[in-house]
Amino acid sequence: MTGGVYRIWGSTRVDGRIDRSRSWSLIIKIILADPNRDDPTHYNYWRREIEAYKSGYLRHLPAGMKAPECYAIDENDDGSVWLWLEDMTHESREWQWDDYAYAATKLGEFQGAYLVGGPIPDLRWANRQWMRSWIHECQTYRTLSSTDVASDSNPRLEAIIDRFNQCELLIQDWLVELERLPRTIAHQDFYELNIMLDNAYTRDRKLAVIDWQFASISGIGEDLGRFLGLSLSRGNVPADQFHDYKELLITSYMEGLGRAGWHGDESLPRFGYLAAFALRSVWEVPKLLRKMEQDAKSEACQRLLLLTELQMEAANEAERLRPLGFIPGKNQVRV
């Protein structure tokens, strides 16, 4: 739906003097109308970020969370919309351990503000069942089922498919549990490219975040699971250090929740975190199956094997934490 993102810059004479000028820059984000995504219940409702800026909500985020200032919104005759946005400063560098800790802590502070009595605004453009809509869309694009690929000669793939088939039976129950978790505002695309690291923001205990297209009202911990999943899938979090980063993010997030004043049952955000991470398998296991058909020995296949193994491991842990953890067809039996 994005028709382009452009950085515009120049300089302006101060008081008309040639020898005095001030540099400036801004971002123009072009959003294209999509009649197939014209409903706020769709995870990718095409007008969501437009309405978020129109509402003024993004100008007053709690806990030092900062979104770009929106200078103007142009609704054009061709149906496209131009957002004229602040060009937020950031450092173009590789993320370090402490950066992940800081981002997760600030996310906890931000979301905790809504969990300790800060009212969630009436945001009609925000999705209330974001994960449910996203999973439905993923399943719509699936071209292979887990029974379409022979796995007998690959024990790792066989184990992944076996566990994934079990997880698919639990998806609806997991979604119900996610939607019962304490509710907060979620970004749903919270990862390195949308987080503007900058020392000036850090000194002021702020965190600048762009691209609020997926904003939702979701369960505690859910955003953090998306963060881990996106960072791992894109290779930013090293797979061989997965368990260390997994604990770093949840520990830092819990610290942020505590700073906001939330001291509830830790199993709730941990379940939301692990479940949201594990549910990325709905997209990545079918992708693995497609790549296995093309070239089972490729580097991409081997990487996806590892990623989906980690997702299945998290699925087992999430199921143990699930408040009503039961196997469909059986009566309240833990797995």
Side-chain angles (χ1 to χ4, degrees):
M1 296 180 308
T2 302
V5 179
Y6 303 91
R7 184 174 186 266
I8 312 298
W9 73 95
S11 62
T12 300
R13 293 180 183 176
V14 178
D15 298 327
R17 293 176 53 178
I18 298 177
D19 60 334
R20 293 182 61 193
S21 64
R22 177 174 297 175
S23 299
W24 55 266
S25 62
L26 53 82
I27 300 295
I28 297 179
K29 183 173 184 177
I30 300 174
I31 299 175
L32 305 178
D34 186 345
N36 296 318
R37 300 176 181 182
D38 199 25
D39 184 341
T41 63
H42 193 287
Y43 86 93
N44 198 12
Y45 168 48
W46 79 271
R47 287 192 62 90
R48 182 169 291 116
E49 191 169 25
I50 301 164
E51 298 303 328
Y53 281 113
K54 273 189 172 183
S55 71
Y57 166 71
L58 295 178
R59 299 188 68 182
H60 305 288
L61 301 175
M65 190 72 79
K66 179 175 172 55
E69 184 72 22
C70 185
Y71 303 125
I73 300 175
D74 287 344
E75 306 255 3
N76 301 305
D77 292 340
D78 63 0
S80 68
V81 180
W82 289 24
L83 299 178
W84 298 71
L85 303 172
E86 176 186 359
D87 182 12
M88 305 191 86
T89 58
H90 71 284
E91 300 169 25
S92 180
R93 60 177 173 82
E94 185 175 342
W95 275 51
Q96 304 300 314
W97 177 266
D98 289 345
D99 297 326
Y100 287 96
Y102 180 73
T105 301
K106 293 304 296 180
L107 180 64
E109 287 185 53
F110 168 71
Q111 296 189 328
Y114 295 104
L115 297 166
V116 295
I120 295 180
D122 181 19
L123 307 177
R124 298 183 181 181
W125 41 264
N127 194 313
R128 268 71 173 172
Q129 295 182 317
W130 192 94
M131 187 65 75
R132 188 179 292 273
S133 175
W134 180 79
I135 286 176
H136 174 75
E137 193 83 351
C138 289
Q139 292 171 333
T140 300
Y141 283 97
R142 185 179 300 185
T143 58
L144 288 173
S145 74
S146 55
T147 60
D148 293 330
V149 176
S151 59
D152 298 342
S153 61
N154 191 324
R156 291 177 67 190
L157 180 60
E158 186 174 2
I160 290 167
I161 289 176
D162 181 62
R163 181 54 188 150
F164 181 67
N165 287 338
Q166 296 177 48
C167 286
E168 287 212 291
L169 296 175
L170 295 168
I171 284 177
Q172 293 307 313
D173 299 310
W174 278 24
L175 290 174
V176 168
E177 296 303 336
L178 284 172
E179 291 161 8
R180 287 176 177 172
L181 289 174
R183 314 306 281 164
T184 188
I185 302 293
H187 182 275
Q188 294 291 9
D189 208 14
F190 188 88
Y191 77 111
E192 295 89 347
L193 289 182
N194 287 335
I195 300 170
M196 304 287 100
L197 289 181
D198 186 272
N199 286 333
Y201 296 141
T202 305
R203 284 194 299 269
D204 294 335
R205 296 298 302 171
K206 294 181 178 180
L207 188 68
V209 181
I210 63 171
D211 196 356
W212 291 79
Q213 173 62 23
F214 288 168
S216 68
I217 298 173
S218 297
I220 185 174
E222 190 175 317
D223 228 356
L224 192 70
R226 293 275 302 167
F227 183 19
L228 177 62
L230 287 164
S231 299
L232 183 68
S233 294
R234 292 174 176 270
N236 299 321
V237 165
D240 61 352
Q241 299 179 49
F242 168 76
H243 295 96
D244 293 333
Y245 277 88
K246 184 183 78 168
E247 286 307 308
L248 172 70
L249 291 187
I250 189 62
T251 300
S252 302
Y253 182 72
M254 291 299 301
E255 180 182 339
L257 290 174
R259 289 181 183 178
W262 191 88
H263 302 285
D265 182 353
E266 184 177 337
S267 68
L268 298 177
R270 189 173 282 272
F271 168 73
Y273 171 52
L274 293 170
F277 169 73
L279 283 169
R280 280 191 62 80
S281 62
V282 175
W283 176 256
E284 291 192 310
V285 169
K287 182 164 70 173
L288 169 63
L289 299 181
R290 290 196 302 271
K291 289 189 177 297
M292 289 293 291
E293 275 200 330
Q294 296 163 5
D295 184 359
K297 296 181 179 180
S298 68
E299 183 179 341
C301 272
Q302 297 309 305
R303 175 173 170 73
L304 275 171
L305 275 170
L306 177 56
L307 296 188
T308 49
E309 281 175 333
L310 295 173
Q311 289 164 354
M312 294 302 94
E313 177 187 304
N316 288 337
E317 190 176 348
E319 182 60 16
R320 289 192 294 270
L321 288 169
R322 185 159 66 94
L324 297 178
F326 63 93
I327 302 173
K330 299 185 179 181
N331 185 21
Q332 302 289 315
V333 178
R334 286 277 178 181
V335 295

